[in-house]
Amino acid sequence: MGGKYRITGDAYPRMRRPRRRHRLVLAGIGAVVVLGLVGWGTLQLIDVFTGGDRSANAAGHRRACPSPAASAAPARALPKPAAVKVNVYNATTRAGLAKTAAEELKKRGFAIGEVGNASKEYDKKVPGTAVLLGAPTATDGSFSVLGTHLVGAVQKTDTRKTAEVDLILGAKFTAFSTQQEATAAMASLTKPSPAPSSSC
């Protein structure tokens, strides 16, 4: 070729494709940005769903938690001494003990039934203060009322169907509690239980 297009010398120009490094860099940056956005969006979705569950659970817990007034136990209803019929038996060697005890209980308002010596099952076989013997229903009523006048008595039940209670006096019996002590003990039994502390 001649003119200005003539090639001179023995060196030929090399025909190379233009480098595309800047495109690769941009592609890499774009991939990092996309991955970052995907990860951020995933975390946001997790927070939304788990946060909603915590809020629902907290709200449900608040609804289920009872108020202190509802948790307080009501006052316990116990029978009056006049409604408790007591049979008084002497299981000791001290003569006249059952009669004396029965007279004292009568003064305190109890209804008195039989008075005498204890049966062979208990005669001289009660080493403690006394034994209260009655039907299973007496444990939440008559036993509690009579027990406020006699500390240390052992409670036992049998198969009787009647409501009276047997008071079997033992070797360690000396006297009933004072009227003031019995009244205070009765008040403690009948007052409402305090409401438990709430953790809501």
Side-chain angles (χ1 to χ4, degrees):
M1 297 180 67
K4 62 178 179 180
Y5 298 105
R6 185 179 56 179
I7 300 173
T8 61
D10 56 358
Y12 296 92
R14 295 180 180 180
M15 305 301 290
R16 294 180 180 178
R17 294 181 179 180
R19 296 181 179 180
R20 298 180 178 178
R21 290 183 179 178
H22 63 285
R23 294 184 180 181
L24 294 176
V25 172
L26 291 176
I29 293 174
V32 171
V33 171
V34 170
L35 290 175
L37 289 175
V38 171
W40 179 81
T42 302
L43 291 176
Q44 291 299 315
L45 289 175
I46 292 174
D47 288 341
V48 168
F49 285 110
T50 57
D53 291 341
R54 287 194 297 268
S55 299
N57 290 336
H61 179 67
R62 287 193 294 270
R63 288 193 297 269
C65 185
S67 63
S71 300
R76 184 179 177 184
L78 292 174
K80 300 293 184 182
V84 180
K85 185 177 181 180
V86 185
N87 301 319
V88 185
Y89 299 110
N90 181 11
T92 73
T93 58
R94 289 174 283 172
L97 185 62
K99 181 181 179 181
T100 303
E103 290 175 350
E104 179 61 28
L105 289 177
K106 186 176 181 180
K107 291 178 182 178
R108 300 187 181 198
F110 289 91
I112 303 300
E114 295 183 3
V115 178
N117 293 324
S119 63
K120 292 182 180 181
E121 182 181 359
Y122 292 99
D123 188 26
K124 300 178 182 65
K125 297 177 183 178
V126 181
T129 302
V131 172
L132 300 181
L133 184 63
T137 54
T139 57
D140 292 330
S142 301
F143 281 177
S144 298
V145 176
L146 187 55
T148 61
H149 297 262
L150 185 62
V151 178
V154 176
Q155 299 181 5
K156 291 186 178 182
T157 59
D158 55 18
T159 58
R160 74 181 68 187
K161 303 299 181 181
T162 54
E164 78 271 6
V165 175
D166 294 347
L167 171 59
I168 306 172
L169 301 172
K172 291 185 179 180
F173 173 79
T174 55
F176 292 106
S177 303
T178 65
Q179 187 65 57
Q180 291 77 11
E181 291 171 341
T183 300
M186 180 66 75
S188 178
L189 288 176
T190 56
K191 70 179 181 180
S193 299
S197 58
S198 175
S199 59
C200 298

